[in-house]
Amino acid sequence: MIGVILWSNADQKRAVIWCENNGGLAYLESARDFTDDGWPDCGEIVHLIEERAAGFHYARSVRRWADQSGVKAAPRKPDAARNYGHPPRAACC
């Protein structure tokens, strides 16, 4: 299954992933379930196996998504996407 990292904490080795099946959010809760180097950032596209237990969805065997040529997808930064095509908002007092 394909998913997008919505929240990530490299220090705690935890992340929350939105899954393509709209079945809810999947939780990545340890480094042993992330098979690539480093730790995923918010906005990265990943491939995962979803496991359901005790009413929760857990992400297993998570790795960065690669297209058919083997090229890894570039990380997407949420701040850049959020302001795309819109002027910055003025700070409120």
Side-chain angles (χ1 to χ4, degrees), residues 10-22:
D11 294 334
Q12 294 180 4
K13 301 294 186 229
R14 296 184 185 277
V16 175
I17 304 169
W18 174 84
C19 299
E20 67 179 334
N21 69 353
N22 290 319

Side-chain angles (χ1 to χ4, degrees), residues 1-8 14-29 33-34 39-41 43-50 57-63:
M1 173 179 323
I2 303 297
V4 177
I5 304 291
L6 296 179
W7 176 85
S8 180
R14 296 184 185 277
V16 175
I17 304 169
W18 174 84
C19 299
E20 67 179 334
N21 69 353
N22 290 319
L25 302 175
Y27 301 99
L28 174 58
E29 58 181 359
D33 288 317
F34 188 68
W39 191 251
D41 279 332
E44 282 194 78
I45 300 171
V46 294
H47 181 269
L48 63 117
I49 296 172
E50 181 186 31
H57 300 245
Y58 295 98
R60 306 290 188 224
S61 301
V62 179
R63 67 186 190 290

Side-chain angles (χ1 to χ4, degrees), residues 34-87:
F34 188 68
T35 61
D36 282 344
D37 293 332
W39 191 251
D41 279 332
C42 291
E44 282 194 78
I45 300 171
V46 294
H47 181 269
L48 63 117
I49 296 172
E50 181 186 31
E51 178 182 304
R52 296 177 188 203
F56 292 97
H57 300 245
Y58 295 98
R60 306 290 188 224
S61 301
V62 179
R63 67 186 190 290
R64 288 179 178 93
W65 183 81
D67 65 16
Q68 296 297 332
S69 67
V71 176
K72 298 287 184 179
R76 297 176 186 232
K77 298 297 180 185
D79 290 339
R82 186 179 306 124
N83 293 324
Y84 181 75
H86 301 284

